[in-house]
Amino acid sequence: MSKAELVTVVVPTYDRPKLLRRAVQTVAEQTYDRIELVIVDDCSPVPASDVLSEFDPSLEAVTIVRHDANRGANVARNTGLHKARGEYVAFLDDDDCWDERKIEKQANAFGRAPESVGVVYTGVEHVDENMQTNAVLTPQVEGAVTKRLLYGNFLETFSVAMIERELCERVGGLDERFPSWQDWEFFLRLSLWCRFLAVPEPLVVRHNRPNGQLSHDYDRKTEVTAPLFREVVRPIAAELDDIDWTTVDASLEYHLGRAAMRNGRYSAARRHFGRAIRQHPLEVPYYVYLVAAFGGKRTHRPIQRIKRRLVRYGQ
């Protein structure tokens, strides 16, 4: 990838004016020369154009598109894709931030990569509401990653990825039916067409706010997301060698159990972890979280702290 190629940054937003200004500022501060910014306002009460009226980033182009009704984040991302002119697309959630070198480092990685690479992603630093770092995730997975993605979204968020725009179009864009796990499902479909490459640095800051993210909505995960995800994933798993569907389904139950715990639904969490163990009894973390779910908040919080330490040291 030469430095002359255009990168389109797509920022979907809804009713978070302060966070939007912060996110856009980190786009404006990028060290890469050619960036166009497409902001998709999903019918915010205060239009994004008003929020950014005094903001004049030195980018190649800035476009603000406003939906006439709230249609959801994936629809907003697809709107941004339709407007994109760049060779590559980078999504940025409005509550996340970028290191100023993110796009440049990803562009350089694409320039060194073989043609089979269609996604370059970075690591993530998680910070809490007090701006304290509670986890730093450094990428370790590269190449053909479909099997790995069947068991979990190791990229974590749209905000880490730079993707070939033509590849986004080839897979049909984002599936607008998903209220959560949208990024996981999208990355999985992309992985069927290309290889992934990692920039092993935490160049995205993800702000974890209690109950502030769709990923924390347990009911929608169980009623809508999980059935849809199984519908999409099962045919993919069936086409791959050495994949046992029960182990994949056990992993989904584990993720649902984690979502239940984050929402304080400890009885539901125990059911999910129990199902995961019945399907895949050799996976130690399932037992750890099942025990934690019996203790409610008293054991959930210590488990979270232990997990963060393990993640921080790459375990």
Side-chain angles (χ1 to χ4, degrees), residues 78-91:
N78 278 337
T79 297
L81 277 176
H82 295 324
K83 294 290 183 181
R85 297 181 298 117
E87 185 77 13
Y88 297 86
V89 175
F91 295 101

Side-chain angles (χ1 to χ4, degrees), residues 72-279:
N74 263 9
V75 178
R77 293 185 182 100
N78 278 337
T79 297
L81 277 176
H82 295 324
K83 294 290 183 181
R85 297 181 298 117
E87 185 77 13
Y88 297 86
V89 175
F91 295 101
L92 174 60
D93 289 347
D94 64 1
D95 55 345
D96 292 338
C97 297
W98 284 346
D99 183 282
E100 63 181 8
R101 304 161 297 162
K102 176 184 180 288
I103 296 297
E104 181 178 6
K105 285 179 176 287
Q106 288 177 301
N108 290 339
F110 261 120
R112 298 188 298 268
E115 292 185 1
S116 59
V117 171
V119 177
V120 173
Y121 75 104
T122 76
V124 182
E125 177 185 0
H126 287 264
V127 300
D128 62 22
E129 62 271 23
N130 298 315
M131 299 302 294
Q132 297 297 309
T133 298
N134 52 38
V136 177
L137 308 183
T138 302
Q140 300 178 8
V141 182
E142 295 185 316
V145 300
T146 301
K147 290 182 180 180
R148 177 64 179 78
L149 278 169
L150 286 172
Y151 297 100
N153 180 15
F154 60 84
L155 285 84
E156 288 229 340
T157 170
F158 279 111
S159 298
V160 303
M162 182 187 288
I163 310 163
E164 290 183 346
R165 180 170 57 84
E166 290 186 359
L167 182 61
C168 293
E169 296 170 352
R170 190 181 308 160
V171 303
L174 292 97
D175 192 327
E176 297 174 359
R177 298 174 299 169
F178 279 84
S180 51
W181 292 355
Q182 306 103 319
D183 45 358
W184 185 4
E185 188 274 337
F186 185 53
F187 295 144
L188 183 57
R189 280 189 288 122
L190 289 170
S191 75
L192 299 174
W193 290 87
C194 72
R195 292 178 175 269
F196 285 39
L197 182 66
V199 175
E201 299 178 56
L203 300 177
V204 174
V205 177
R206 194 172 193 193
H207 297 266
N208 298 320
R209 297 171 296 108
N211 301 319
Q213 294 169 302
L214 286 178
S215 59
H216 290 172
D217 192 329
Y218 168 72
D219 289 327
R220 277 192 288 186
K221 273 194 173 73
T222 55
E223 296 168 9
V224 181
T225 301
L228 275 174
F229 200 82
R230 287 184 169 100
E231 176 185 320
V232 170
V233 168
R234 190 155 193 163
I236 295 174
E239 293 294 321
L240 298 174
D241 295 331
D242 303 322
I243 293 293
D244 179 358
W245 172 250
T246 59
T247 63
V248 176
D249 200 52
S251 179
L252 294 179
E253 290 292 343
Y254 166 72
H255 288 292
L256 290 171
R258 295 279 305 279
M261 288 184 73
R262 285 193 296 268
N263 282 259
R265 309 278 284 275
Y266 296 104
S267 177
R270 291 192 292 272
R271 290 195 298 272
H272 289 298
F273 294 135
R275 291 170 191 154
I277 289 168
R278 285 193 294 274
Q279 293 187 91

Side-chain angles (χ1 to χ4, degrees), residues 12 42 67 69-77:
D42 200 22
H67 288 165
N70 185 265
R71 301 171 63 191
N74 263 9
V75 178
R77 293 185 182 100

